[in-house]
Amino acid sequence: MVIGAGIVGASIAAQLPEDVSVTVLDQGPSGRLRGSTGHAPGYVGLLNEVPVLTELARASAELYDDLELDGVQGFDRVGGVEVASTPETAAKLEERAELAVRAGLPHRLLDAAGTAALAPDLIDPAQCLAGLHYAQDGTARAGVITGALRKRSRARFVDDAAVVGIELRGNRVSAVRTATESFPADDVVLASGIWGSLVASLVDQRIPLTPVAHPYVYGPKRAESAARTPFVRWPEQHVYARDHGDRFGLGTYDHAPQPVPLDRLGRTAEQPWPGELFDDAVGRAMALLPEANRFPIAERLNGVFSMTPDNLPLLGAFPDITGLWSAVAIWVTSAGGAARGLVELMCDKPSSFPDVDRLRPDRFAGQDPADLEARALRLYRDIYASL
Ligand SMILES: Cc1cc2nc3c(=O)[nH]c(=O)nc-3n(C[C@H](O)[C@H](O)[C@H](O)COP(=O)(O)OP(=O)(O)OC[C@H]3O[C@@H](n4cnc5c(N)ncnc54)[C@H](O)[C@@H]3O)c2cc1C
């Protein structure tokens, strides 16, 4: 039984062995992705300072490479580029290049002109000193990937099915309950994204997962462009931009972090736009683009995703309850690989990811929840340093 049909739940369902009977329950309506997956601009960057995340991302990208739905490709390896505007950041990019060498990821250090030429609509040569290009990074249509995985799996997907209870026999899971039905279960996977703590609390389990709000804006629609623009990040300004083909998008972490209290989550991973706080951050982000390409904002998204005290997923078994598994705080970037890692754990198979134990959900056991949340929020601004 998988609780949550976002990219993580669908990836797990698609990779569980065919002889296992799998049901995926989601509180959302049919055909709509109301969780974070439905809101992500979808950068998949392979390099991470934490090696297990690089491996999860690499495995995810390999899974996504082949996926399409109704003729629409789910993943496009357009590449990614990090832009430096100061000598200090340029030096950091050189360190990142060494990390890429160790990870075996193709990359190129570039001068200002070479960097700006990769994405002339987005990179202002006047604000660029150097760049680092990652050839195997890409952009995901997370909804397409999720739909394709859902189709590939043999699982039964039940929509409009909010889980309100998890039943135990002794210390073992035995069933999952919605308001109208009870589903017997030998294993239950929490793939419930930002709602993970709420679902875990149904069986008195605590997980240090903090939902945070994050601004992303879209420009007006334009004629579809065939340009294969890499995803652009400005690490020192905590800003990123994507060419969606028919419009540009811009996101920023350059603002005070905004945790979303659990009782304000509602049923979608979207919150009202908070006004000035995000407007100011978006204004600063927009100023990084070449002057002629700063766009009027056609759509504002205040999306919600999960953070943890070390920016790593919570993946693995709950030690106190047999048959209960966690698969939360997982980005699109890692979802396919994380799902494979979890399936291997569940099936007692040797892991493709030797360090997967580092992600176990009980690694913060006994620590002060307020301190854990503060640690998670401190990582918000530099999220792209480690993702
Ligand atoms: C604005 C924004 C930008 C982002 N940018 C990127 C990016 O560039 N790259 C990247 O890799 N990631 C990005 N992310 C993060 C990424 O979107 C998420 O980490 C990922 O989609 C999480 O997938 P999930 O399946 O765990 O969660 P979700 O997609 O949220 O799915 C969880 C599902 O669980 C269901 N659920 C919850 N509680 C219950 C219940 N009680 N009963 C039944 N169902 C339940 C929900 O309805 C939901 O469908 C971004 C997110 C946002 C919001």
Side-chain angles (χ1 to χ4, degrees), residues 4 6-8 26-27 35-37 40-43 161 163 191 304 330-333:
I7 194 165
V8 173
D26 201 288
Q27 65 190 3
S36 305
T37 304
Y43 174 56
V163 171
V304 185
I330 298 166
W331 280 49
V332 170
T333 303

Side-chain angles (χ1 to χ4, degrees), residues 73-233:
Q73 203 184 333
F75 181 52
D76 196 354
R77 298 221 190 213
V78 291
V81 60
E82 288 174 320
V83 179
S85 63
T86 62
E88 293 74 32
T89 312
K92 278 200 186 128
L93 293 190
E94 286 176 20
E95 286 170 27
R96 299 262 297 159
E98 282 166 27
L99 196 63
V101 171
R102 288 200 289 281
L105 290 172
H107 61 281
R108 266 183 316 152
L109 279 164
L110 298 160
D111 61 11
T115 306
L118 283 173
D121 287 328
L122 298 173
I123 301 173
D124 180 1
Q127 301 186 70
C128 170
L129 199 64
L132 178 56
H133 178 246
Y134 304 94
Q136 292 184 348
D137 286 2
T139 48
R141 290 186 183 86
V144 170
I145 291 174
T146 305
L149 288 167
R150 193 170 159 144
K151 214 166 157 185
R152 178 185 280 191
S153 90
R154 293 171 168 241
R156 173 184 171 215
F157 282 80
V158 186
D159 300 310
D160 289 312
V163 171
V164 295
I166 299 174
E167 288 168 16
L168 304 180
R169 199 170 297 130
N171 71 340
R172 196 175 212 311
V173 295
S174 60
V176 166
R177 255 187 308 112
T178 65
T180 54
E181 224 175 318
S182 179
F183 298 82
D186 297 323
D187 289 281
V188 174
V189 181
L190 270 56
S192 326
I194 56 172
W195 295 273
S197 309
L198 292 172
V199 180
S201 71
L202 296 174
V203 273
D204 296 327
Q205 296 296 299
R206 287 192 87 121
I207 46 173
L209 186 148
T210 305
V212 291
H214 173 67
Y216 189 77
V217 297
Y218 292 93
K221 291 270 186 189
R222 61 183 168 117
E224 182 85 37
S225 151
R228 293 178 50 76
T229 313
F231 193 96
V232 181
R233 289 178 291 163

